[in-house]
Amino acid sequence: MLEKIVRHGWNVLSGLFVLACSLWLSGPGIAETDTPDYRWYFMLWFVLWTVGFLLQFRQRPKWIGLLITIIPTVYYLFLVLRAMELF
């Protein structure tokens, strides 16, 4: 029971964090350069998180799915800490 509560809590928090960061980074740039307005390749991190989330519903690949959801979360957490100059 406690394992399910922790896993569902992790999925909610990490999913919202990865989705927010993906949308923020894929949005229109404010620089006056030749960069495209929308950079959709940042949404691939959310797609990777979604694949890990879906794998958690099967019994055998549950831990692989959990590991896959950790990868985009750690990536964006690293970017946030670098932007805040804490790391």
Side-chain angles (χ1 to χ4, degrees), residues 5-86:
I5 292 172
V6 170
R7 193 177 70 212
H8 291 309
W10 163 258
N11 284 331
V12 168
L13 292 177
S14 67
L16 288 175
F17 179 69
V18 170
L19 179 63
C21 288
S22 295
L23 289 173
W24 179 44
L25 290 175
S26 67
I30 58 173
E32 295 180 9
T33 61
D34 292 335
T35 58
D37 289 340
Y38 292 97
R39 298 173 301 275
W40 293 109
Y41 49 85
F42 282 109
M43 291 304 289
L44 291 175
W45 287 108
F46 183 69
V47 171
L48 180 68
W49 183 90
T50 305
V51 168
F53 175 71
L54 293 176
L55 282 175
Q56 290 182 25
F57 287 108
R58 296 191 177 161
Q59 191 60 26
R60 289 187 74 185
K62 185 187 325 182
W63 294 106
I64 295 172
L66 185 64
L67 180 69
I68 290 175
T69 59
I70 289 174
I71 293 171
T73 307
V74 168
Y75 174 75
Y76 280 132
L77 187 63
F78 177 74
L79 287 181
V80 167
L81 291 176
R82 288 283 310 247
M84 292 172 47
E85 295 180 358
L86 296 175

